[in-house]
């Protein structure tokens, strides 16, 4: 049963370069009307979301940030939220449920932040290893704890996103597999449950995209 459940995340083609991963670029289909600013309610809503994220990320990064740096995190949010939503549609590969995808986003970001911080703000990065007010007897211990917590950041970012996407999809798959053996009354309850789960998964898709982008922004603010 577990093999059948997790097989819903497997690519359905046998090519060495699986065509399923091309689903990551399906979000580009929604960009042209937004890029040309065709007036619509969806266009207004998306611009409002982008401006809100820009103001929030600008506050998180700080006044010393490079001009236009929020664009990177808004693009990151947009890419993840498009892939999360597309994965809710039938027969569309959910790329963000795979660690190879989420780790490919988290690791280069974290590595670039660390390299920039240690090269340009070395003393500031050393100061971050010992929180303010730490007793002298615990300083060596705190350096170890802070170093470990810093090293596992890309892993926690990647696992958090992938695990949340997998959990909802597995639950929906598990409930969907029981539909053929249910009565009409139970089947109607199952359909209502699936609709509620779909709404919940839509919320999770937005929340996890936001959390990934906000944490990446916070990590970048620590190097200034």
């Amino acid at each position: 049963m577990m093999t059948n459940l997790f097989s819903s995340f497997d690519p359905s083609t046998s090519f060495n370069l699986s065509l399923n991963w091309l689903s990551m670029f399906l979000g580009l289909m929604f960009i042209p009307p937004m890029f040309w600013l065709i007036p619509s309610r969806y266009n207004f809503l998306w611009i409002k979301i982008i401006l809100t994220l820009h103001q929030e990320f600008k506050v998180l990064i700080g006044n010393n940030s490079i001009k236009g740096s929020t664009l990177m995190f808004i693009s990151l949010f947009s890419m993840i939220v498009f892939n999360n939503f597309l994965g809710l549609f039938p027969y569309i590969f959910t790329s963000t449920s795979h660690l190879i995808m989420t780790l490919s986003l988290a690791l280069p970001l974290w590595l670039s932040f660390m390299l920039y911080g240690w090269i340009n703000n070395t003393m500031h990065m050393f100061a971050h290893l010992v929180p303010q007010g730490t007793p002298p007897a615990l300083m060596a211990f705190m350096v170890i704890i802070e170093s470990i917590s810093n090293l596992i950041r890309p892993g926690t970012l990647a696992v958090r996103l992938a695990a949340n996407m997998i959990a909802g999809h597995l639950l929906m798959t598990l409930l969907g597999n029981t539909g053929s053996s249910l009565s009409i009354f139970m089947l109607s309850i199952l359909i209502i449950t699936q609709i509620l789960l779909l709404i919940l998964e839509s919320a999770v898709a937005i929340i996890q995209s936001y959390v990934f982008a906000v944490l990446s922004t916070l990590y970048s603010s620590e190097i200034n």
Side-chain angles (χ1 to χ4, degrees):
M1 176 62 71
M2 294 305 294
T3 303
N4 294 333
L5 284 177
F6 283 98
S7 64
S8 61
F9 298 98
D10 293 338
S12 58
T13 58
S14 58
F15 294 106
N16 290 331
L17 179 60
S18 178
L19 297 178
N20 291 273
W21 291 102
L22 293 179
S23 65
M24 292 187 299
F25 303 105
L26 286 177
L28 296 176
M29 296 171 60
F30 302 100
I31 290 179
M34 298 177 185
F35 179 79
W36 296 110
L37 299 179
I38 297 176
S40 67
R41 289 175 296 177
Y42 304 107
N43 178 252
F44 175 79
L45 177 62
W46 184 247
I47 292 176
K48 186 69 175 178
I49 292 173
I50 289 177
L51 291 177
T52 303
L53 290 175
H54 168 70
Q55 294 298 328
E56 185 165 346
F57 292 164
K58 189 176 180 181
V59 172
L60 291 176
I61 295 175
N63 297 325
N64 297 326
S65 62
I66 301 173
K67 186 177 181 180
S69 58
T70 58
L71 179 62
M72 176 177 65
F73 300 107
I74 293 174
S75 302
L76 181 67
F77 169 82
S78 303
M79 179 181 180
I80 296 174
V81 77
F82 274 133
N83 280 280
N84 288 351
F85 266 115
L86 287 171
L88 296 176
F89 289 92
Y91 302 107
I92 296 183
F93 182 65
T94 312
S95 58
T96 48
S97 64
H98 291 255
L99 276 176
I100 191 172
M101 168 67 174
T102 56
L103 200 58
S104 297
L105 293 175
L107 188 59
L109 275 175
W110 174 83
L111 194 59
S112 60
F113 295 154
M114 288 298 101
L115 288 175
Y116 179 86
W118 284 104
I119 292 173
N120 296 288
N121 300 313
T122 307
M123 297 307 296
H124 178 75
M125 297 298 289
F126 273 121
H128 255 288
L129 296 177
V130 182
Q132 190 174 4
T134 304
L138 297 177
M139 284 185 178
F141 185 61
M142 290 303 299
V143 168
I144 297 174
I145 293 178
E146 289 294 324
S147 299
I148 293 175
S149 66
N150 202 359
L151 289 173
I152 65 174
R153 279 179 175 178
T156 55
L157 270 180
V159 171
R160 182 187 295 109
L161 177 58
N164 278 279
M165 297 311 297
I166 286 174
H169 284 66
L170 280 181
L171 186 56
M172 294 178 69
T173 303
L174 182 62
L175 290 176
N177 289 339
T178 62
S180 58
S181 60
L182 297 178
S183 62
I184 300 298
F185 176 73
M186 293 302 297
L187 186 60
S188 60
I189 294 179
L190 178 63
I191 292 174
I192 296 174
T193 305
Q194 288 281 49
I195 293 173
L196 293 176
L197 274 176
L198 191 60
I199 296 173
L200 177 63
E201 278 300 294
S202 300
V204 169
I206 299 174
I207 292 171
Q208 290 304 315
S209 307
Y210 177 76
V211 168
F212 195 101
V214 166
L215 288 178
S216 300
T217 308
L218 289 173
Y219 296 161
S220 70
S221 67
E222 293 183 0
I223 65 175
N224 296 320

